[in-house]
Amino acid sequence: MNIINGEKTMQSDKFRLGLACAVLALTSAPALADEHRGGSNFKRIATLANYINNDDRGDETVSEIVAATKNGKTLVYTDSELEEIGFVYIGKPSDPIPTGKLAVPGEPTSVAVLGNTLALVAVNTSASFTDTSGKLVVVHINKRQIVGELELGGQPDSIAISPDNRYAAVAIENERDEEICVGGGENGSPVPEDGPEAPGDITEAQCEAAGGAVGVLPQTGLGNPPGFLAIVDLKGRNPKNWSVREADLTGIAGYAPEDPEPEFVDIDDYNQAVVSLQENNHIAIVDLASGMVVSDFSAGTV
């Protein structure tokens, strides 16, 4: 995880960090001024090996997404491998202190922090690519307790909280199966990455020879549900008063419009969410108050 001048940066690919993860980097006003003179902007002042926060330091661990409390003193990060979230105290930024972890009911895919108190964790509980499910798990940071859960209706990825704290938006990816033949005479046949393993499995060459392609969209005809944007109305700080709505993202992308696969979401000051439809090469703008797509455009061919 990297924190630069108080802002979080995120990578979509999971990092298998057997070494150390960077925790904090700070900059100063003179350093920012140096930007126009070609000088350095950032200086890393501390690192933290993520495995030392585990109960068993021999466990494989994956630090992926990180968020900070409003006061900047606590980091919360996801560990999808162990199905946990972790906490790091950075009251003294040059001396980060790992303060433990908390198990969540599935694979955490992203996390955002509401104020200084609540961590909103998107958790994947899907049984398969066709039987998708997920939860928004609300964690009281100081108590290290789960204080609420809301069903999201599909497999989540990114989460963001609006600047005015009225809404949370969760990209429900319902990701494609990357090891299945789509289209042609072998439509729906498994194509394991390491080669056929069971009766009915085929190779990539067999899939393509039959007129199909491996792992592409659309897969709705194979039972994989389309993705959407889940909008959470954050009515106060009690999760029991929160509710979830769905914003439909089908029918807008030029490629596989019936099978959108949203990946990342962010929210502006006007409570409009920008959603990347990664595999569709498209961007959607969703008004969170109405739940309607108000704008969309292609992100190109790749």
Side-chain angles (χ1 to χ4, degrees), residues 120-140:
L120 278 57
V121 189
V123 177
N124 178 21
T125 58
S126 301
S128 68
F129 291 105
T130 57
D131 184 9
T132 60
S133 62
K135 294 181 178 182
L136 178 63
V137 177
V138 186
V139 174
H140 194 289

Side-chain angles (χ1 to χ4, degrees), residues 76-158:
V76 185
Y77 67 91
T78 63
D79 186 340
S80 60
E81 186 69 25
L82 294 179
E83 298 189 347
E84 297 174 336
I85 58 172
F87 305 89
V88 179
Y89 178 72
I90 55 168
K92 183 179 180 182
S94 61
D95 184 23
I97 301 172
T99 58
K101 301 180 76 177
L102 177 70
V104 294
E107 176 194 2
T109 59
S110 189
V111 61
V113 174
L114 184 61
N116 296 315
T117 306
L118 299 178
L120 278 57
V121 189
V123 177
N124 178 21
T125 58
S126 301
S128 68
F129 291 105
T130 57
D131 184 9
T132 60
S133 62
K135 294 181 178 182
L136 178 63
V137 177
V138 186
V139 174
H140 194 289
I141 295 173
N142 293 331
K143 295 179 180 178
R144 305 295 166 84
Q145 293 178 354
I146 295 175
V147 294
E149 295 184 10
L150 288 84
E151 295 292 336
L152 293 173
Q155 174 252 319
D157 199 320
S158 172

Side-chain angles (χ1 to χ4, degrees), residues 13 48 53 66 118 120 130 150 168 176 182 210 239 255 259 283 298:
D13 292 325
L48 176 70
N53 210 13
V66 63
L118 299 178
L120 278 57
T130 57
L150 288 84
R176 74 197 192 286
V182 181
Y255 171 64
D259 193 8
I283 303 294
S298 172

